[in-house]
Amino acid sequence: MKNYFAFLAFVQVALGAAVATVKDVTIDVVNAQLAPDGFSRSTVTANGQYPGPPILVNKGQPLRITMNNKLTDPTMRRSTSLNLDGIFFGSQDVFEEAEPFVNACPVGPNATFVYNVPLGEQTGTFWYHSELSVQYVDGFRGPLIIYDPADPHSTLYDVDDVNTIIQVGDWWQSSTLPLLDNYVATGVVPVSDSGTVNGIGRFQGGPEVPWAVINVQKGRRYRFRIINESARNVFTLSIDNHDMTVIAANGVNTQPLTVQKMDMLAGQRYDVVVAANQAVGNYWFNAPFVGGNPAVNPHQNATLSRAIFRYAGAAKVDPTTPMTLGPADGALVEADLLPLVPTKVLTPDVSMTFNLVVTTGKAQWNINGVSYLSPQTPTLEKVIDGATQAADFNVTENTFILPANKTVEIIFPPTDDDDAHPFHLHGMTMQVIKSMTSNNTNTVNPISRDVVGVGGSGTTIRFKTDSTGPFMFHCHIFWHKFAGLASVQLVDPVDTPKNVQVTPAWEGLCPAYDALPQELQ
Ligand SMILES: *[C@@H]1O[C@H](CO)[C@@H](O)[C@H](O)[C@H]1NC(C)=O
Ligand SMILES: *[C@@H]1O[C@H](CO)[C@@H](O)[C@H](O)[C@H]1NC(C)=O
Ligand SMILES: *[C@@H]1O[C@H](CO)[C@@H](O)[C@H](O)[C@H]1NC(C)=O
Ligand SMILES: *[C@@H]1O[C@H](CO)[C@@H](O)[C@H](O)[C@H]1NC(C)=O
Ligand SMILES: *[C@@H]1O[C@H](CO)[C@@H](O)[C@H](O)[C@H]1NC(C)=O
Ligand SMILES: *[C@@H]1O[C@H](CO)[C@@H](O)[C@H](O)[C@H]1NC(C)=O
Ligand SMILES: [Cu+2]
């Protein structure tokens, strides 16, 4: 309850009137037997569902999530850790970030942890997932939407509710422990069996699971909040006969931009407006993906990743038009997106270059020659105990010490492979100075986002170190993260211990975790 009343007073001022009531959410992390693509397997879930239940809050509403770890299945990790992707925690609450071994230790089985999330000024489309190892691949992922009562785009759409959240994700029929063993043995990144739209998919040779249905009414305009909850695959989204107008990317409003299809990298979100202005009927919502060689996994068939876009009054049947991969042209170009509110471009105080290199034939990725390995003691705890300089961390912790209140630039040089690594920065957003799919730089009016594609013709980002503490900066292809494609951006370790206000519950996490036998970790 720290600073609770001060915070409430702040929110009251911010909202001008209404008292912001705390939104209480309980997440029971449980194993469940599910068959998203028709193949039944044991999973790790929030409240027994895949995807997990949506967490819906209003701007500035304090969120309190009670997470009860009830995992029992020994074929998957039994500890866990909840991350709210893209949410800023600020200097005081950076310990709630829950990046294992950076901000906190994981939560063991039969334990409960309460996350107090000060939602501040952020609005838009986010998601939550397990941040421990690659556990979210086993199912623990779901949406987090922060509604803005004064949304500047509100005149562009009529409908924005729980039914307009669209979640796409890759799905594996095997649990992650054997997948990881095989990855380590071969260096081949696991290839998904299927793609799911709102938790439903099909695999080649599998049963004809009824497609997910997105229901619309003719004449209305819908704000779809599309979340890529994938751990590897890139999805290309389109709706037959319908345009999509992008109005926000990763929780940051953009100027409206109309496209016919868009690529989304893991962890990315786009809010789009779609007008239901065609004849009443059934249309395909195409969500084909690319991710690994289908020859490695014959279940994989990108064409089977789709849903039905159905008008009220249409027969409850599949569209009769061919299943395509979407239109050939009209793709969203990230560099064409502009912020709704013009942003001042940041001038770098510190500039770094990150070279990403894979060790051929191994499950190992390096940033500037270093493959990240989690330490046993979280970075934040080391900082609280007095670590202030690079020499206080093992080289393999890949920890970059940064000054507070400065602008950091990171340049990713062009690469000659065709990997796109969706780099995700915790705790802050990045200005996209150069997008990987454009040769141009934007030093006038760049968009800001918390996941940016790295690869291709090169990427340049800048961010302001306006929170202190350690922030994970990693590839959101969690297989690559596991293989070391990660770093810690440690802002102002001298002031961090004064600014952060850890709780006894947080202090108890590491002793409890370290005392667990390895199979329960
Ligand atoms: C969790 O609690 C249940 C019920 O009390 C018990 O059967 C189980 O052994 C406990 N698991 C662990 C890992 O402590
Ligand atoms: C989701 O992210 C993965 C991994 O980057 C990517 O392959 C896939 O295309 C993305 N899907 C969508 C719909 O953006
Ligand atoms: C993938 O599925 C589509 C639709 O059922 C089918 O036409 C196509 O032949 C399948 N591809 C492969 C390689 O089997
Ligand atoms: C520390 O780094 C070295 C390589 O510099 C590595 O071999 C060792 O495993 C690391 N130790 C820990 C505890 O991560
Ligand atoms: C950074 O800015 C904040 C807010 O203005 C201020 O409180 C803090 O002292 C600054 N930190 C440093 C190291 O200058
Ligand atoms: C970027 O420049 C390279 C080399 O001139 C060219 O091959 C490529 O097509 C350009 N890419 C785009 C998106 O314009
Ligand atoms: Cu990657």
Side-chain angles (χ1 to χ4, degrees):
M1 287 289 103
K2 69 200 144 52
N3 282 349
Y4 180 68
F5 291 104
F7 183 66
L8 255 193
F10 162 76
V11 168
Q12 260 178 293
V13 171
L15 293 181
V19 176
T21 49
V22 175
K23 173 83 175 191
D24 257 307
V25 172
T26 300
I27 291 183
D28 287 335
V29 187
V30 291
N31 296 117
Q33 193 71 27
L34 297 177
D37 62 358
F39 176 87
S40 182
R41 58 160 288 190
S42 179
T43 61
V44 174
T45 68
N47 296 0
Q49 348 169 174
Y50 167 75
I55 299 178
L56 309 176
V57 285
N58 285 318
K59 181 177 180 181
Q61 187 176 23
L63 173 62
R64 184 167 54 211
I65 303 176
T66 302
M67 183 182 79
N68 303 309
N69 181 350
K70 299 183 173 176
L71 295 173
T72 56
D73 185 339
T75 70
M76 290 173 286
R77 292 291 290 263
R78 275 175 279 177
S79 289
T80 193
S81 188
L82 174 68
N83 181 249
L84 306 182
D85 229 52
I87 298 297
F88 305 157
F89 286 84
S91 308
Q92 179 187 304
D93 295 295
V94 68
F95 70 97
E96 306 258 25
E97 267 254 9
E99 174 68 49
F101 313 108
V102 176
N103 305 86
C105 278
V107 179
N110 281 357
T112 288
F113 192 78
V114 179
Y115 298 89
N116 284 291
V117 192
L119 285 178
E121 292 294 300
Q122 285 184 288
T123 61
T125 304
F126 301 88
W127 62 304
Y128 61 86
H129 61 79
S130 167
E131 190 82 23
L132 179 64
S133 183
V134 294
Q135 191 183 45
Y136 87 78
V137 172
D138 288 315
F140 182 5
R141 25 181 160 160
L144 164 63
I145 312 293
I146 311 172
Y147 292 102
D148 183 356
D151 177 21
H153 284 309
S154 62
T155 58
L156 299 180
Y157 55 87
D158 308 303
V159 186
D160 176 23
D161 59 22
V162 69
N163 297 316
T164 62
I165 302 170
I166 301 179
Q167 302 168 79
V168 296
D170 38 21
W171 189 251
W172 276 265
Q173 294 176 357
S174 169
S175 78
T176 48
L177 295 182
L179 290 175
L180 283 178
D181 287 345
N182 192 56
Y183 180 27
V184 169
T186 63
V188 177
V189 180
V191 177
S192 72
D193 292 285
S194 53
T196 59
V197 178
N198 289 344
I200 297 173
R202 290 186 188 180
F203 64 96
Q204 184 65 33
E208 297 197 340
V209 180
W211 304 110
V213 177
I214 299 157
N215 289 296
V216 296
Q217 263 185 325
K218 189 172 165 70
R220 309 200 81 190
R221 299 163 305 164
Y222 292 80
R223 176 184 188 139
F224 290 113
R225 298 169 176 273
I226 308 176
I227 310 172
N228 186 351
E229 296 180 1
S230 138
R232 173 170 193 187
N233 297 355
V234 179
F235 289 80
T236 302
L237 303 182
S238 61
I239 310 172
D240 285 355
N241 294 33
H242 295 77
D243 290 344
M244 300 179 285
T245 300
V246 180
I247 58 171
N250 291 18
V252 178
N253 287 322
T254 61
Q255 293 178 25
L257 179 68
T258 298
V259 299
Q260 278 74 53
K261 64 173 179 178
M262 57 190 185
D263 282 339
M264 288 178 70
L265 303 182
Q268 291 189 327
R269 292 91 63 196
Y270 285 110
D271 290 28
V272 303
V273 174
V274 176
N277 56 9
Q278 297 295 302
V280 167
N282 290 292
Y283 298 84
W284 286 119
F285 175 93
N286 310 299
F289 56 84
V290 176
N293 184 350
V296 172
N297 184 346
H299 283 167
Q300 202 183 65
N301 182 341
T303 305
L304 298 178
S305 180
R306 59 184 52 253
I308 298 174
F309 191 78
R310 175 173 293 153
Y311 282 67
K316 292 193 167 61
V317 297
D318 288 0
T320 51
T321 47
M323 293 183 192
T324 71
L325 302 179
D329 302 312
L332 169 66
V333 176
E334 185 186 46
D336 291 346
L337 279 177
L338 297 173
L340 183 66
V341 179
T343 47
K344 199 165 160 277
V345 72
L346 298 164
T347 307
D349 300 297
V350 176
S351 187
M352 304 191 277
T353 298
F354 275 16
N355 278 295
L356 314 184
V357 176
V358 65
T359 309
T360 309
K362 289 183 77 175
Q364 191 187 62
W365 276 93
N366 298 300
I367 296 176
N368 299 344
V370 175
S371 185
Y372 178 82
L373 276 180
S374 297
Q376 193 186 2
T377 304
T379 314
L380 180 59
E381 191 164 325
K382 292 184 184 180
V383 170
I384 291 172
D385 291 344
T388 55
Q389 45 197 334
D392 295 330
F393 301 92
N394 195 333
V395 173
T396 54
E397 290 174 53
N398 217 9
T399 298
F400 294 82
I401 296 177
L402 304 171
N405 302 330
K406 298 285 188 210
T407 295
V408 176
E409 176 179 73
I410 300 182
I411 298 166
F412 296 88
T415 54
D416 45 19
D417 59 37
D418 54 8
D419 271 319
H421 300 283
F423 260 73
H424 174 50
L425 178 62
H426 285 233
M428 291 166 278
T429 51
M430 307 169 273
Q431 291 189 341
V432 184
I433 304 298
K434 186 185 171 305
S435 165
M436 65 171 282
T437 52
S438 164
N439 286 332
N440 304 326
T441 54
N442 181 347
T443 51
V444 180
N445 196 17
I447 55 161
S448 298
R449 62 190 314 170
D450 59 61
V451 183
V452 65
V454 167
S457 66
T459 306
T460 301
I461 57 104
R462 292 178 190 165
F463 62 93
K464 181 92 188 292
T465 52
D466 48 14
S467 294
T468 60
F471 298 94
M472 193 66 162
F473 183 45
H474 64 87
C475 179
H476 217 298
I477 294 180
F478 261 48
W479 307 106
H480 290 170
K481 182 187 181 203
F482 166 84
L485 201 49
S487 70
V488 176
Q489 305 295 310
L490 174 56
V491 179
D492 193 356
V494 172
D495 287 322
T496 296
K498 287 175 250 168
N499 295 344
V500 69
Q501 298 192 6
V502 298
T503 58
W506 178 86
E507 285 169 338
L509 285 174
C510 285
Y513 181 80
D514 291 342
L516 288 172
Q518 202 189 345
E519 69 270 18
L520 297 183
Q521 289 192 336

